[in-house]
Amino acid sequence: MSAGQQEFNAMETMSNPLLAALANRIRHALVITDADKRIVYVNPAYQKLTGISAQQALGQTTDLNHSGRYNPDFYHKVWEGLEQNGIWEGELWDYRRDGTAYLQHLSLEAIKDAEGRVQNFFALFSDLSEQLHSTAELERLTHYDPLTDLPNRILFRDRLGHEFNISNRHHSRTGLVLLNLDRFKIINDAFGFSAGDKLLVEISQRLQGGIRRTDLLARQEHRQERDADLISRMGGDDFSFILSELRRPDDAGIVAERLLSCLEAPFYVGDEEIYISASLGLAVYPDNADNEDALLQCAESALKKVKKEGKGGYRFFAEDLNISSAKRVRMEARMRNAIANKDFVLHYQPKQDLNSGQITGMEALIRWPTDEGMITPGEFIPLAEDTGMINPLGRWILFQALSDAVLASQAVGYPLQVAVNLSMRQFHRPGLSAMVAEALAETGIQPQQVELEITESMVVDKVDEAIATMHSLRELGVRLAIDDFGTGYSSMAYLRNFPVNTLKIDQTFVSDLNSSESNTSIISAVIGLGQGLGMKVVAEGVETQMQRDLLEKAGCHIGQGYYIGYPVPLNELIELLNASDKTPKNS
């Protein structure tokens, strides 16, 4: 038989030690009244929650806690329902003794005797405020960036799909803008991450002023209002913008211009004046793509195009990039299979001592033969870099080139030096020195026969780390070369600190040597710089006898190019060297 079917006496029940202990320990507030709704018992949890002591509550009616937020009809219906059904449960607002409001979950029950007459009312309630606060905090942590308080990637993706549905219903478009701050890492390195974080907050505040801020209202099919554009922080120095209900694709360009203008005024880090630029990639649904992932890829492609063209400004996604993206996916699958099956080959371009005329070394160049013909490195190396496949591919190139150099040296009777290009990912990946040491040990090549080529752009962003990596490689006995010298920036400032052995003059400078009266001042300056720092100087792109002679006259040590020799497979290079006069000579 239930409690509601038994005669209930509150005072007798509370005199029971077990029941009294239970009532005292429960965390929910407990109130018992008589049939006239006068309080006959409250537990300690009630006193703690409401701030009302037992002495103050006993004998009072339950009207004591009415918040005033509800009209009398509300309470009348509660009690009427309680008397008819014997129970009522719900949520309502109330006030504590000190006047602070709280939301409570309330359960009321009428206790009746055997004849069905109400003897007592029983109330159990708890404070929902803390639970709601925790829920709100969890929502914030899940969907908002803790630094800028902007929506994060999760909320961004949810909203993007939602906007697609709205665009379909209203025959409009949804714009997507991806924004990346240019060279923001330099600011972090110069002023520290704390200053960088403060700058990100200020940047986010400015960017919010660049979007349309229409209030976000409840959606109605025939409403006149449009939703506010959404700005999100995707992480790091990346932001995204969802442009709601565009009428024309080029309307997104208006927003992009406004966003760029938000960054024109200087920022300040302490007393330092800082200027920030940004690159933006734009894509439009459904013109460029019909789903979230595809539209993101379109915007990312447009952003990469801006970065490639020199950073700053914005670009729309173009159809030719869309076609290129599909081609890229297919090539990625083919490349993975090619790496697994070792379908790549190495060709070697000879390097000549310009003073003696002797072939002293060779550069290893990757090639990818297929049934449709040879795929050039310019097509697949960037993809390998982006996907991370450059790491297994680069490892294979290193081990194969060193092994081939040993065979070639044995075949021609003197040690040939082999140059191997390192990619950006390889150079910055932990364990590079260990991998080179492993290759040296496995192939048995003399370390001084190995020259690893890096570019200026690979080392200028993290100079100290780059120098440490270069020193660890030099300790193995291998040589280092700066490739494409003169095409990067801050070359002279950093060069003296780099433990390199060789400078390679970029072929664009060599191509200007097209007549005997050519101005050789740049070439002479670079050669003089290399000699002054005790380095060998190599000229790339030597295609004529005249260029070779001018370089030799200017004091260049090594030449490389089609005039000296084309890249060929190892066996052909060995045949050419064995057929030529290897005796040192003047040319």
Side-chain angles (χ1 to χ4, degrees):
M1 188 176 294
S2 68
Q5 296 173 313
Q6 301 179 47
E7 185 173 353
F8 180 87
N9 185 294
M11 301 307 296
E12 290 181 3
T13 300
M14 290 305 123
S15 65
N16 183 303
L18 180 60
L19 294 179
L22 177 62
N24 288 337
R25 288 183 175 275
I26 61 174
R27 295 184 178 181
H28 288 63
L30 172 63
V31 181
I32 300 174
T33 74
D34 60 18
D36 296 325
K37 304 170 190 173
R38 292 190 178 277
I39 298 174
V40 297
Y41 176 80
V42 294
N43 71 342
Y46 169 90
Q47 300 174 61
K48 181 178 180 181
L49 175 58
T50 65
I52 300 173
S53 69
Q55 291 79 5
Q56 292 169 324
L58 293 177
Q60 302 293 326
T61 67
T62 53
D63 291 343
L64 178 71
N65 289 345
H66 283 180
S67 66
R69 293 195 177 205
Y70 308 95
N71 59 44
D73 287 342
F74 172 80
Y75 294 104
H76 177 73
K77 290 179 180 179
V78 170
W79 289 111
E80 187 178 68
L82 184 62
E83 291 174 353
Q84 290 177 358
N85 303 319
I87 191 169
W88 183 90
E89 187 172 2
E91 295 176 1
L92 54 83
W93 285 94
D94 212 333
Y95 284 97
R96 298 182 178 88
R97 183 74 171 182
D98 61 7
T100 58
Y102 68 99
L103 183 65
Q104 65 178 213
H105 181 272
L106 175 63
S107 177
L108 295 172
E109 187 172 353
I111 307 300
K112 300 179 180 180
D113 59 17
E115 283 75 31
R117 295 187 297 267
V118 174
Q119 296 294 301
N120 299 91
F121 291 100
F122 178 97
L124 197 66
F125 58 94
S126 60
D127 184 2
L128 292 178
S129 303
E130 184 174 343
Q131 178 182 334
L132 291 175
H133 176 77
S134 298
T135 302
E137 182 66 11
L138 180 61
E139 168 75 10
R140 193 186 69 80
L141 291 173
T142 303
H143 294 107
Y144 290 84
D145 172 52
L147 177 63
T148 62
D149 209 32
L150 293 175
N152 63 13
R153 185 185 296 269
I154 296 174
L155 185 56
F156 159 80
R157 290 298 298 266
D158 180 73
R159 172 70 180 271
L160 185 59
H162 188 58
E163 285 299 327
F164 285 2
N165 295 331
I166 299 304
S167 292
N168 293 337
R169 288 206 298 269
H170 293 275
H171 306 290
S172 61
R173 294 176 170 87
T174 297
L176 173 62
V177 180
L178 297 183
L179 180 150
N180 175 259
L181 301 174
D182 297 329
R183 297 180 179 175
F184 191 78
K185 182 184 178 302
I186 296 176
I187 296 175
N188 273 335
D189 291 344
F191 299 100
F193 287 98
S194 178
D197 285 349
K198 291 179 181 178
L199 199 55
L200 283 172
V201 172
E202 187 175 350
I203 289 169
S204 69
Q205 291 170 348
R206 284 203 198 176
L207 291 175
Q208 290 180 70
I211 61 175
R212 301 169 297 176
R213 302 298 297 173
T214 305
D215 291 336
L216 184 62
L217 304 177
R219 293 197 175 279
Q220 299 174 10
E221 285 300 316
H222 303 291
R223 77 197 194 290
Q224 297 298 316
E225 304 85 6
R226 52 163 296 282
D227 280 350
D229 294 332
L230 179 75
I231 173 176
S232 304
R233 185 184 179 212
M234 305 293 276
D237 55 357
D238 295 313
F239 296 82
S240 67
F241 304 81
I242 299 174
L243 311 182
S244 176
E245 298 183 61
L246 298 176
R247 296 304 171 187
R248 299 179 306 170
D250 55 0
D251 286 347
I254 299 173
V255 180
E257 292 279 5
R258 196 157 56 236
L259 292 172
L260 288 172
S261 68
C262 290
L263 303 176
E264 289 178 353
F267 295 83
Y268 291 91
V269 178
D271 296 328
E272 296 284 344
E273 192 174 74
I274 302 295
Y275 286 87
I276 300 292
S277 64
S279 300
L280 289 75
L282 284 61
V284 179
Y285 169 87
D287 301 69
N288 301 138
D290 60 2
N291 62 73
E292 295 96 323
D293 289 333
L295 192 69
L296 274 167
Q297 289 177 356
C298 292
E300 288 170 356
S301 295
L303 178 58
K304 287 180 180 179
K305 185 177 181 181
V306 180
K307 291 288 189 181
K308 185 176 181 180
E309 292 175 351
K311 303 179 180 180
Y314 69 92
R315 295 289 183 275
F316 280 91
F317 176 76
E319 183 59 27
D320 59 340
L321 287 177
N322 194 24
I323 296 172
S324 177
S325 296
K327 180 181 178 182
R328 172 191 172 102
V329 171
R330 291 192 292 269
M331 183 176 286
E332 180 180 342
R334 292 181 65 186
M335 187 184 299
R336 291 188 186 280
N337 291 329
I339 292 174
N341 298 329
K342 297 182 179 180
D343 292 336
F344 292 92
V345 298
L346 292 181
H347 285 189
Y348 295 94
Q349 186 170 36
K351 298 165 71 173
Q352 184 186 57
D353 185 311
L354 296 181
N355 182 50
S356 69
Q358 185 184 30
I359 300 300
T360 58
M362 55 189 183
E363 180 178 357
L365 301 169
I366 184 73
R367 297 290 185 264
W368 184 6
T370 68
D371 294 338
E372 295 82 23
M374 194 75 74
I375 299 178
T376 65
E379 293 180 81
F380 66 83
I381 290 296
L383 178 59
E385 284 272 14
D386 290 344
T387 59
M389 285 189 283
I390 194 67
N391 290 319
L393 183 60
R395 178 183 174 86
W396 175 82
I397 293 172
L398 178 66
F399 279 73
Q400 187 65 48
L402 269 55
S403 178
D404 286 349
V406 172
L407 293 176
S409 298
Q410 293 172 346
V412 301
Y414 66 94
L416 285 168
Q417 188 181 79
V418 62
V420 179
N421 293 281
L422 294 179
S423 72
M424 178 81 78
R425 276 182 178 261
Q426 280 181 293
F427 185 74
H428 291 295
R429 190 182 188 189
L432 173 62
S433 297
M435 183 179 71
V436 173
E438 181 185 352
L440 293 173
E442 183 173 309
T443 60
I445 193 171
Q446 294 299 310
Q448 61 269 24
Q449 289 180 251
V450 179
E451 186 169 75
L452 302 177
E453 296 187 2
I454 57 179
T455 63
E456 292 174 79
S457 59
M458 290 164 55
V459 296
V460 293
D461 284 340
K462 298 181 179 180
V463 176
D464 292 339
E465 292 181 22
I467 291 175
T469 299
M470 287 189 277
H471 276 297
S472 67
L473 292 170
R474 291 287 288 117
E475 288 171 1
L476 297 175
V478 301
R479 298 172 62 85
L480 296 178
I482 294 289
D483 196 9
D484 300 333
F485 182 76
T487 60
Y489 51 91
S490 302
S491 306
M492 307 302 179
Y494 293 124
L495 186 60
R496 61 185 178 184
N497 296 320
F498 293 159
V500 298
N501 309 94
T502 304
L503 288 185
K504 294 192 72 175
I505 304 174
D506 186 68
Q507 60 185 352
T508 55
F509 297 112
V510 177
S511 65
D512 289 337
L513 301 176
N514 50 24
S515 71
S516 58
E517 292 82 21
S518 295
N519 187 347
T520 61
S521 58
I522 295 179
I523 295 290
S524 298
V526 174
I527 293 173
L529 174 66
Q531 290 175 340
L533 295 173
M535 299 177 185
K536 288 283 187 179
V537 180
V538 177
E540 297 179 298
V542 182
E543 297 184 353
T544 67
Q545 175 73 46
M546 182 178 295
Q547 290 172 344
R548 185 202 178 284
D549 292 343
L550 289 173
L551 287 165
E552 180 185 2
K553 183 178 179 180
C556 185
H557 302 104
I558 305 293
Q560 177 183 350
Y562 291 162
Y563 177 75
I564 294 168
Y566 285 85
V568 292
L570 181 68
N571 61 328
E572 292 185 27
L573 179 66
I574 292 174
E575 290 177 5
L576 289 172
L577 292 179
N578 283 330
S580 65
D581 182 1
K582 300 188 292 295
T583 304
K585 61 183 179 181
N586 293 323
S587 55

